[in-house]
Amino acid sequence: MNLSAEPGSPEFENAIFILHQPLTAKTAPLFVFHDNVTPEPMDAEAWAMPAYLSEGFNLFCVFAQNMGTNWSATFAQVTIENGNEVTSMSNVVPTGSGFNAIAHVDRHAAIELLAYFETLAASNLGHWEMGA
């Protein structure tokens, strides 16, 4: 990672993971997370996948063209009812904010998530940038 901010720090809150290509049905398998979790389309413009699920805190990774013309990975907190029904979703936050939120509740899950994004970067599927 080539950023001025360290994961977990307040400065990392604004870090954004920028994708080098849009998510499509063809490219989604390239973005598989642990346990074969693949992003799924939310609508015609965004894809999502669970990043962290627990009894009281659920965070989804949302991939969309939300940084000008660039696609990025952001996070949204979701409410899940009946075991698998997403009933509400917050506004998205930068990649770094989502990472830091997970790091506060589960350090091991945060390390897995950081490894996921570093693997995407090493595969030339995206890169880190500092947001505003």
Side-chain angles (χ1 to χ4, degrees), residues 19-67:
L19 306 183
H20 291 168
Q21 61 187 342
L23 243 72
T24 64
K26 185 177 180 179
T27 63
L30 300 173
F31 292 85
V32 69
F33 193 38
H34 67 82
D35 297 330
N36 296 320
V37 177
T38 304
E40 295 183 14
M42 292 173 49
D43 56 30
E45 299 175 9
W47 293 67
M49 71 177 184
Y52 183 79
L53 303 175
S54 69
E55 183 65 33
F57 182 67
N58 302 301
L59 210 60
F60 273 34
C61 188
V62 178
F63 302 94
Q65 185 180 356
N66 54 12
M67 296 294 296

Side-chain angles (χ1 to χ4, degrees), residues 67-81:
M67 296 294 296
T69 60
N70 293 318
W71 277 67
S72 68
T74 55
F75 286 97
Q77 191 169 354
V78 300
T79 302
I80 299 175
E81 296 178 4

Side-chain angles (χ1 to χ4, degrees), residues 1-129:
M1 179 181 305
N2 191 16
L3 288 178
S4 59
E6 289 293 317
S9 70
E11 297 80 18
F12 193 69
E13 292 284 322
N14 293 322
I16 301 284
F17 193 82
I18 304 292
L19 306 183
H20 291 168
Q21 61 187 342
L23 243 72
T24 64
K26 185 177 180 179
T27 63
L30 300 173
F31 292 85
V32 69
F33 193 38
H34 67 82
D35 297 330
N36 296 320
V37 177
T38 304
E40 295 183 14
M42 292 173 49
D43 56 30
E45 299 175 9
W47 293 67
M49 71 177 184
Y52 183 79
L53 303 175
S54 69
E55 183 65 33
F57 182 67
N58 302 301
L59 210 60
F60 273 34
C61 188
V62 178
F63 302 94
Q65 185 180 356
N66 54 12
M67 296 294 296
T69 60
N70 293 318
W71 277 67
S72 68
T74 55
F75 286 97
Q77 191 169 354
V78 300
T79 302
I80 299 175
E81 296 178 4
N82 301 321
N84 65 354
E85 216 175 286
V86 175
T87 58
S88 67
M89 180 178 277
S90 71
N91 290 332
V92 296
V93 297
T95 323
S97 292
F99 171 84
N100 284 354
I102 292 171
H104 281 93
V105 296
D106 188 332
R107 180 173 165 78
H108 179 72
I111 291 167
E112 285 182 354
L113 188 62
L114 189 58
Y116 168 72
F117 284 112
E118 289 301 297
T119 299
L120 293 179
S123 300
N124 202 32
L125 294 171
H127 67 276
W128 290 98
E129 289 184 9

